[in-house]
Amino acid sequence: MTESKIVLITGASQGIGRACAQAFLAAGHHVVLAARGREALETVAKAAPDHTLVHACDVSDPDQVDGLFAAIKDRYGRLDVVFNNAGISLPATEIADIAWEDWRRVVSVNLDGAFLIARGAFGMMRAQDPKGGRIINNGSISAHVPRVGSVPYTTSKTAITGLTRTLSLDGRKHDIACGQIDIGNAASDMTDAMSKGVPQADGTLKPEPVMDVAHVADAVLHMASLPLAANVQFMTIMATKMPYVGRG
């Protein structure tokens, strides 16, 4: 049996985060479920109540994030894996029409939140005995090939790649590995629009192929299962026929 690990998943109440939480629980790990909505988290936790810690948390709030890591330390005493997953987006909008408040809302969750979670995890992993752990950042295909009208989302996700690279470098002496998964068109309650029509670079609106979100969960579980001497630095997982290679 795979050694049980203490795993933190942000954005665990829905979509990719929920699927990953279910996969880690099914594999016998202890999972800290973090998101803003406690009720939705408790629904996920019902699958394995003895192996979960539910903690409602806004990842963009430094005090709430500090409280999250205090709760993890109090309950488990250590942290082995983080899936830094929480994120939001906006409908396709050209930059001239994006309100400052909407820009800040996306960046505060996708970038500030990822920084705060990574900072807390790094500090805990560096100090624990035995030291070390793994941080897996949820990047995006959009960080490589952006979609039309996606300035806030694409900018924030491009920054995640820089966060991943730097964490990988800074973490070496502390046995902290960091990798990134870039996901394209995973079917969930958050991506229903994919099958109905997505704005394309040529100005058209076309449906795009999607894949089962379970494949993403399997990929994240694989990344987390590696010994700290090995690391998946970057992984792209996507619907095979989605317009990524040759997009536009």
Side-chain angles (χ1 to χ4, degrees):
M1 180 179 175
T2 303
E3 180 185 357
S4 180
K5 298 178 180 179
I6 310 303
V7 181
L8 166 62
I9 298 177
T10 64
S13 62
Q14 58 183 332
I16 290 167
R18 181 175 61 195
C20 289
Q22 291 168 337
F24 276 91
L25 288 170
H29 299 291
H30 294 268
V31 181
V32 181
L33 305 168
R36 285 176 293 183
R38 184 176 186 87
E39 185 176 349
L41 292 175
E42 289 177 342
T43 299
V44 179
K46 288 179 181 178
D50 294 337
H51 280 68
T52 54
L53 171 62
V54 170
H55 193 97
C57 175
D58 180 348
V59 297
S60 67
D61 184 318
D63 292 335
Q64 291 190 37
V65 172
D66 288 345
L68 169 64
F69 284 101
I72 296 170
K73 186 173 183 180
D74 183 63
R75 173 76 172 270
Y76 296 113
R78 67 176 292 109
L79 180 62
D80 300 303
V81 177
V82 173
F83 183 34
N84 206 353
N85 168 68
I88 61 173
S89 61
L90 297 175
T93 309
E94 291 185 347
I95 187 170
D97 302 315
I98 296 172
W100 169 250
E101 293 78 12
D102 288 335
W103 161 266
R104 281 304 314 157
R105 184 161 57 90
V106 173
V107 173
S108 68
V109 174
N110 294 7
L111 183 53
D112 296 346
F115 161 77
L116 290 170
I117 292 296
R119 183 180 69 171
F122 195 101
M124 193 169 179
M125 292 172 176
R126 182 181 63 183
Q128 62 196 15
D129 184 22
K131 69 178 181 179
R134 186 180 307 275
I135 299 169
I136 301 171
N137 290 326
N138 188 347
S140 175
I141 282 178
S142 291
H144 305 279
V145 184
R147 289 191 180 279
V148 174
S150 65
V151 165
Y153 183 81
T154 295
T155 302
S156 65
K157 289 300 187 177
T158 301
I160 294 300
T161 302
L163 176 66
T164 298
R165 293 184 187 278
T166 309
L167 287 173
S168 296
L169 184 60
D170 291 355
R172 287 177 185 171
K173 64 181 179 181
H174 304 296
D175 294 328
I176 299 172
C178 182
Q180 179 170 316
I181 186 164
D182 297 322
I183 303 162
N185 291 14
S188 74
D189 48 5
M190 300 176 69
T191 58
D192 287 343
M194 296 290 179
S195 59
K196 298 174 183 176
V198 182
Q200 305 294 312
D202 61 4
T204 61
L205 192 70
K206 295 179 181 178
E208 292 187 3
V210 296
M211 64 177 171
D212 193 324
V213 71
H215 301 313
V216 177
D218 289 344
V220 175
L221 188 61
H222 168 68
M223 293 171 75
S225 71
L226 294 172
L228 292 178
N231 187 41
V232 175
Q233 186 68 72
F234 292 98
M235 176 189 288
T236 299
I237 183 166
M238 54 178 250
T240 303
K241 295 183 180 181
M242 71 168 288
Y244 169 54
V245 177
R247 181 183 287 185

